[in-house]
Amino acid sequence: MTHLTTHILDATTGTPASGVTVTLGHLDGATIDAAATDADGRLSLGPERLDDGDYSLTFATGAYFRARGVASFHPVVTVAFSVSSDAHLHVPLLLSPFAYSTYRGS
């Protein structure tokens, strides 16, 4: 079964990014689920099984940095990805005020 998780690390502080709102949606813009990362910067989203198709995770990075008094470049980070199996999906985000990196985790 597909189970989607994410983890955000604030690279400027070397700590988990807690309280970041993350929205899971279809690429057509329809929202499936939304929640905020926990104290460890982690979050599980969506149903137990995502149908095969294309999805997006949108991270509210601008609000996260503004709440900390830090200027940033990206108001949101959107990561598009495809589901094509029943595998667990983990989409981590390494974040700084002016750059980000992501990959398919395990």
Side-chain angles (χ1 to χ4, degrees), residues 14-38:
T15 60
S18 63
V20 177
T21 299
V22 182
T23 303
L24 170 64
H26 294 281
L27 284 186
D28 67 7
T31 297
I32 297 169
D33 197 6
T37 55
D38 66 13

Side-chain angles (χ1 to χ4, degrees), residues 1-6 22-27 30-34 43-58 79-91 104:
M1 297 201 134
T2 299
H3 185 71
L4 180 66
T5 57
T6 187
V22 182
T23 303
L24 170 64
H26 294 281
L27 284 186
T31 297
I32 297 169
D33 197 6
L43 179 63
S44 294
L45 283 171
E48 278 297 313
R49 167 95 173 82
L50 288 172
D51 293 332
D52 289 357
D54 298 328
Y55 297 87
S56 66
L57 282 175
T58 301
V79 177
F81 60 96
S82 296
V83 172
S84 61
S85 71
D86 287 343
H88 168 82
L89 296 174
H90 183 66
V91 183
R104 181 178 178 171

